[in-house]
């Protein structure tokens, strides 16, 4: 009986959360599962950000749809960042990938001592400041008006393989 109040709180919390079910926003259409495999020059494109934009003519759809590719180049697509899948329709696919080129590598930095790490960063501040971000995707793929990548989400089309051009460093 000592644990009864704790159990009561847990049961109330589960009930209040709807037993783990999330409430969809008003007007969210039914979603179909969608995965995209993205390669660049035949190699899986990892850690790339994908955004799906309704293809013209614009029909009033206004849902944020996208995903991030994993180590195999596969992205599971979500609507509004948390609802798995995408509404039926045709979409242009925008691809972004930014890489950081550092003048010094954190591989040489202390790992388990935060004070030593901060001291290392202070000693290497000038080199770290020379780090730069580079775009790894050809510009044509980074804009909804110019990307040739397009997918049509429907019950029969829930996986696409896309080629995101040549590797670049811009």
């Amino acid at each position: 009986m000592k644990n009864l109040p704790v159990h009561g709180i847990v049961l109330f919390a589960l009930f209040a959360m709807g037993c783990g079910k999330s409430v969809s926003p008003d007007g969210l259409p039914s979603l179909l599962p969608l995965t995209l495999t993205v390669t660049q020059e035949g190699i899986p494109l990892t850690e790339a950000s994908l955004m799906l934009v309704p293809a013209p003519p614009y029909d009033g759809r206004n849902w944020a749809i996208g995903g991030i590719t994993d180590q195999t180049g596969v992205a599971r697509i979500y609507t509004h960042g948390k609802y798995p899948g995408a509404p039926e329709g045709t979409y242009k696919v925008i691809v972004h990938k930014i890489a950081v080129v550092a003048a010094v590598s954190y591989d040489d930095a202390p790992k388990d001592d935060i004070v030593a790490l901060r001291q290392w960063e202070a000693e290497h501040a000038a080199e770290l400041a020379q780090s730069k971000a580079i775009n790894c995707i050809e510009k044509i793929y980074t804009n909804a008006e110019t990307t040739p990548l397009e997918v049509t989400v429907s019950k029969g089309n829930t996986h696409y393989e896309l080629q995101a051009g040549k590797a670049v460093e811009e």
Side-chain angles (χ1 to χ4, degrees):
M1 286 301 207
K2 218 175 185 183
N3 292 329
L4 185 59
V6 173
H7 289 110
I9 292 170
V10 170
L11 288 173
F12 176 76
L14 287 174
F15 176 75
M17 293 186 315
C19 297
K21 293 182 182 177
S22 62
V23 178
S24 298
D26 288 340
L28 182 69
S30 53
L31 304 176
L32 296 171
L34 180 63
T35 56
L36 303 177
T37 299
V38 184
T39 58
Q40 193 176 52
E41 298 182 300
I43 299 168
L45 185 62
T46 63
E47 300 175 359
S49 173
L50 308 178
M51 186 168 68
L52 280 64
V53 177
Y58 183 67
D59 64 1
R61 291 177 281 168
N62 194 24
W63 302 100
I65 305 167
I68 306 286
T69 58
D70 64 15
Q71 294 303 310
T72 63
V74 175
R76 296 194 190 300
I77 301 303
Y78 290 85
T79 297
H80 277 302
K82 70 178 196 177
Y83 304 102
E88 281 191 87
T90 300
Y91 299 90
K92 300 297 264 179
V93 181
I94 299 171
V95 182
H96 289 280
K97 179 173 179 172
I98 304 294
V100 176
V101 178
V104 64
S105 173
Y106 269 90
D107 291 342
D108 301 326
K111 305 286 186 264
D112 299 323
D113 182 350
I114 191 70
V115 174
L117 174 61
R118 295 299 174 241
Q119 182 178 358
W120 181 90
E121 289 176 329
E123 292 168 1
H124 293 86
E127 295 161 299
L128 290 169
Q130 293 175 9
S131 299
K132 64 178 184 174
I134 58 169
N135 177 34
C136 302
I137 305 294
E138 291 178 275
K139 288 186 192 270
I140 190 172
Y141 297 97
T142 64
N143 184 305
E145 294 176 5
T146 59
T147 182
L149 303 177
E150 189 172 280
V151 298
T152 299
V153 180
S154 65
K155 289 183 181 176
N157 296 313
T158 59
H159 179 77
Y160 284 87
E161 295 190 10
L162 306 172
Q163 166 64 346
K166 296 183 230 170
V168 297
E169 290 185 14
E170 300 177 337

